[in-house]
Amino acid sequence: MAPSNPVRAAVTVPAISGTKVGSGADPLVMVTAYDAPGARTVDEAGVDMILVGDSLAMVVLGYEDTLSVTIDDMAHHTAAVARARPSALIVGDLPWMSYHVSVPDTVSNAAKLIRAGAQCVKLEGGAKRVPMVEALVDAEIPVMGHLGLTPQSMHAMGGFRVQAKDSRAALTLVDDAKALQHAGCFAIVLEGVPDAVASMVTEVLDVPTIGIGAGPGCDGQVLVYHDLLGIEDRVAPKFVRRYADQRSDAVEAIGRFVADVRGGSFPGPDETYHLAESEAEALSLYSG
Ligand code: KIV
């Protein structure tokens, strides 16, 4: 499929995997999207990657956490994003239980996202995911890792908590990152970890790190669309910077529509279809 943004070359997995800020590259930018208009918007803004994240569960579908979203939900929204034909690389997020049960399950679930239009998949977890990552890479499906505060492990972690806060946990995180890279991951998201730990992981890896709540020392940054644009009023985590207040703008705009309808000023003559005068006259003969 040709990209929707013809001025921009399509972003590829090999191009992303070779991007290290320490070697002089610009930081990578990834933003989530869950539908075609969102994908068009972030693509036109120039992001490198669009993550169809399982944050879908919380910011679009109204769940309290990410655990309720299924592989079919993810494929449905990945397909909507892919229909926008972005130049940015589409990353499909594997939801909870889609890669936890068995290696064959993992590959067939990932295939659902690829067939829906993703160009690679993301999964959460460290060394214990190595067999899954290897099988996906073997099936020609590029994999992005995700370490640190992994929301699908919220019950095991005791909530959404910053991870790797002591030196032992930090070294385990470094080992997990190395294991994922060795298994074939082309990039790794680091979420909710102290900046020094993220910088250390970034330095030891050849593949890029994409941070969210991991400080400025990563090879790129990712934010959730609804957080970045202020679409929701849920309390945003500390690491979110809001670049717009779209929720207030939308409430204000729709409030004006409500007032116009109730006050009788909508629709006006310009927003109405009119009969030609001759037809209106002919019609008035029938209506007596
Ligand atoms: O689902 C998601 O949006 C994510 C990002 C927070 C990295 O996994």
Side-chain angles (χ1 to χ4, degrees), residues 125-249:
K128 66 182 169 192
R129 304 288 176 230
V130 161
M132 282 74 174
V133 174
E134 284 175 346
L136 291 169
V137 171
D138 197 45
E140 315 301 343
I141 299 175
V143 187
M144 178 180 283
H146 185 160
L147 292 172
L149 193 175
T150 45
Q152 293 171 15
S153 319
M154 58 170 287
H155 295 308
M157 290 182 319
F160 296 114
R161 294 175 188 284
V162 175
Q163 299 295 301
K165 283 167 70 175
D166 59 59
S167 53
R168 243 181 58 173
L171 291 176
T172 303
L173 190 89
V174 172
D175 286 345
D176 279 336
K178 284 184 184 164
L180 289 179
Q181 171 175 276
H182 191 256
C185 283
F186 74 93
I188 297 178
V189 168
L190 297 177
E191 177 167 357
V193 296
D195 52 358
V197 177
S199 296
M200 183 185 251
V201 174
T202 302
E203 261 169 48
V204 303
L205 293 186
D206 297 324
V207 297
T209 56
I210 320 288
I212 175 161
C218 297
D219 296 301
Q221 298 292 329
V222 52
L223 279 181
V224 167
Y225 185 90
H226 291 61
D227 289 341
L228 190 162
L229 293 176
I231 292 176
E232 278 219 286
D233 62 355
R234 80 187 167 107
V235 181
K238 169 188 166 83
F239 56 76
V240 169
R241 187 179 292 176
R242 287 215 196 282
Y243 287 86
D245 186 4
Q246 287 196 352
R247 186 172 190 278
S248 302
D249 290 349

Side-chain angles (χ1 to χ4, degrees):
M1 269 200 269
S4 66
N5 183 350
V7 293
R8 211 153 69 96
V11 179
T12 63
V13 164
I16 297 295
S17 74
T19 301
K20 290 295 284 182
V21 169
S23 307
D26 286 340
L28 294 164
V29 184
M30 181 160 83
V31 174
T32 65
Y34 316 94
D35 58 20
R40 269 185 225 109
T41 304
V42 297
D43 195 46
E44 199 174 321
V47 302
D48 300 296
M49 290 172 281
I50 299 175
L51 171 64
V52 189
D54 66 351
S55 48
L56 167 76
M58 297 170 79
V59 299
V60 175
L61 301 180
Y63 294 114
E64 288 295 312
D65 53 54
T66 60
L67 304 179
S68 299
V69 88
T70 66
I71 191 69
D72 292 337
D73 294 328
M74 294 306 301
H76 181 73
H77 286 267
T78 300
V81 165
R83 276 182 216 115
R85 295 185 288 117
S87 303
L89 187 78
I90 301 175
V91 185
D93 211 3
L94 285 167
W96 181 61
M97 276 297 136
S98 67
Y99 57 94
H100 302 70
V101 177
S102 72
V103 167
D105 252 23
T106 303
V107 177
S108 67
N109 283 325
K112 287 188 185 173
L113 299 189
I114 300 295
R115 289 200 170 114
Q119 287 143 329
C120 56
V121 298
K122 176 170 84 59
L123 55 72
E124 298 181 3
K128 66 182 169 192
R129 304 288 176 230
V130 161
M132 282 74 174
V133 174
E134 284 175 346
L136 291 169
V137 171
D138 197 45
E140 315 301 343
I141 299 175
V143 187
M144 178 180 283
H146 185 160
L147 292 172
L149 193 175
T150 45
Q152 293 171 15
S153 319
M154 58 170 287
H155 295 308
M157 290 182 319
F160 296 114
R161 294 175 188 284
V162 175
Q163 299 295 301
K165 283 167 70 175
D166 59 59
S167 53
R168 243 181 58 173
L171 291 176
T172 303
L173 190 89
V174 172
D175 286 345
D176 279 336
K178 284 184 184 164
L180 289 179
Q181 171 175 276
H182 191 256
C185 283
F186 74 93
I188 297 178
V189 168
L190 297 177
E191 177 167 357
V193 296
D195 52 358
V197 177
S199 296
M200 183 185 251
V201 174
T202 302
E203 261 169 48
V204 303
L205 293 186
D206 297 324
V207 297
T209 56
I210 320 288
I212 175 161
C218 297
D219 296 301
Q221 298 292 329
V222 52
L223 279 181
V224 167
Y225 185 90
H226 291 61
D227 289 341
L228 190 162
L229 293 176
I231 292 176
E232 278 219 286
D233 62 355
R234 80 187 167 107
V235 181
K238 169 188 166 83
F239 56 76
V240 169
R241 187 179 292 176
R242 287 215 196 282
Y243 287 86
D245 186 4
Q246 287 196 352
R247 186 172 190 278
S248 302
D249 290 349
V251 169
E252 192 271 333
I254 295 167
R256 282 192 286 121
F257 173 61
V258 169
D260 285 354
V261 171
R262 291 187 181 146
S265 70
F266 181 88
D270 292 347
E271 290 135 348
T272 301
Y273 298 107
H274 304 284
L275 275 178
E277 233 170 76
S278 56
E279 293 301 327
E281 266 172 35
L283 195 61
S284 70
L285 295 180
Y286 287 108
S287 59

